[in-house]
Amino acid sequence: MVEKDAVRRAYDELSEAYATHRSEDGRGMEVLAEFLDSCSELSRILDAGCGQGTPVLPRISSETTAIGVDFSREQLQLARENAPGVSLLQSDMTALPFDDGVFDAVIAYWSLIHVPMEDHQTVIDEFARVLRPSGRVLVCEGTNEWIGENPDWLDSGVEMQWNIAGAKTTRDQLRNAGFDVVDSWGVPETLQDESDSNEDETDLPWTFFAAQLDA
């Protein structure tokens, strides 16, 4: 099981190491662009689990009002440098510090995978709560369910933990929260050169879901 404080401390400790590995191009960014292009009248977007800010916040803040939330203080310090002028808050995604219906879209870009499994539905319910009717969410999950840890992630000497619900469970959780899944994409591993991936389209490790909240 993921220990949230352990994940937060890990991201605090390896903030610089993670920054050097985070991809700012590739299929994941193509999916983000497709998602944004499919949305209309976006005036306020939440980056939930924004981490160091890149690659999402600079992309969305150039066209709309962007707000980032993360529970790692050190990651947010980097985000202030990478996305100057963007509003940033330190908070847990299970209890977002916003009123109901204040966002047009929510993006969870490789953040839900670090949430304890029993809290995944709670987080998706929070996304639904802070979205306006017909608002949209982009969520990334592992294609297959997996729970585990790496005691030396990114050769940093820091342990990282994951609770990955899998694509089927995530699709069900989105529906439970009142979302209609409108699109999905398979994406290669992110902490490598995605252009060099030879993985079959049917066996990609990550799945992105675009979903729209019921009106």
Side-chain angles (χ1 to χ4, degrees):
M1 185 181 90
V2 161
E3 296 179 11
K4 287 192 285 188
D5 284 343
V7 172
R8 176 183 52 76
R9 288 193 300 269
Y11 269 115
D12 281 345
E13 292 176 28
L14 56 75
S15 57
E16 296 292 343
Y18 182 65
T20 64
H21 286 80
R22 189 70 183 264
S23 174
E24 296 188 29
D25 53 20
R27 184 57 180 149
M29 287 302 290
E30 291 175 2
V31 169
L32 176 62
E34 290 178 39
F35 171 76
L36 294 173
D37 288 344
S38 72
C39 300
S40 60
E41 299 180 7
L42 293 179
S43 61
R44 202 164 190 235
I45 303 178
L46 174 65
D47 183 3
C50 65
Q52 66 189 32
T54 58
V56 176
L57 284 177
R59 170 68 174 81
I60 62 177
S61 63
S62 65
E63 301 177 6
T64 187
T65 299
I67 296 177
V69 165
D70 202 274
F71 67 172
S72 165
R73 184 179 298 276
E74 294 301 319
Q75 292 289 326
L76 287 173
Q77 291 288 358
L78 291 176
R80 289 187 178 92
E81 300 172 7
N82 293 327
V86 172
S87 296
L88 301 169
L89 295 93
Q90 185 175 13
S91 180
D92 192 316
M93 291 193 297
T94 60
L96 293 170
F98 306 106
D99 292 335
D100 297 356
V102 295
F103 291 100
D104 301 303
V106 174
I107 296 169
Y109 203 77
W110 280 287
S111 54
L112 188 59
I113 58 176
H114 294 299
V115 172
M117 198 74 79
E118 64 271 20
D119 290 338
H120 280 220
Q121 184 69 66
T122 299
V123 170
I124 291 175
D125 289 344
E126 277 291 275
F127 294 165
R129 181 184 66 78
V130 300
L131 280 170
R132 62 170 175 78
S134 299
R136 289 201 169 197
V137 65
L138 180 67
V139 173
C140 172
E141 254 290 4
T143 301
N144 300 308
E145 180 179 340
W146 185 74
I147 298 173
E149 64 282 324
N150 184 333
D152 186 24
W153 194 44
L154 306 179
D155 298 320
S156 64
V158 177
E159 179 181 274
M160 182 55 70
Q161 302 176 5
W162 294 268
N163 267 196
I164 295 173
K168 181 182 182 303
T169 296
T170 301
R171 185 184 290 270
D172 290 342
Q173 290 172 341
L174 286 165
R175 288 171 173 163
N176 291 342
F179 288 101
D180 177 30
V181 175
V182 297
D183 212 341
S184 64
W185 302 264
V187 173
E189 182 57 60
T190 59
L191 297 180
Q192 65 180 25
D193 183 355
E194 293 179 344
S195 63
D196 291 338
S197 175
N198 293 316
E199 292 169 283
D200 185 88
E201 183 72 19
T202 61
D203 192 33
L204 293 167
W206 303 103
T207 300
F208 278 77
F209 290 104
Q212 182 168 313
L213 191 64
D214 293 341

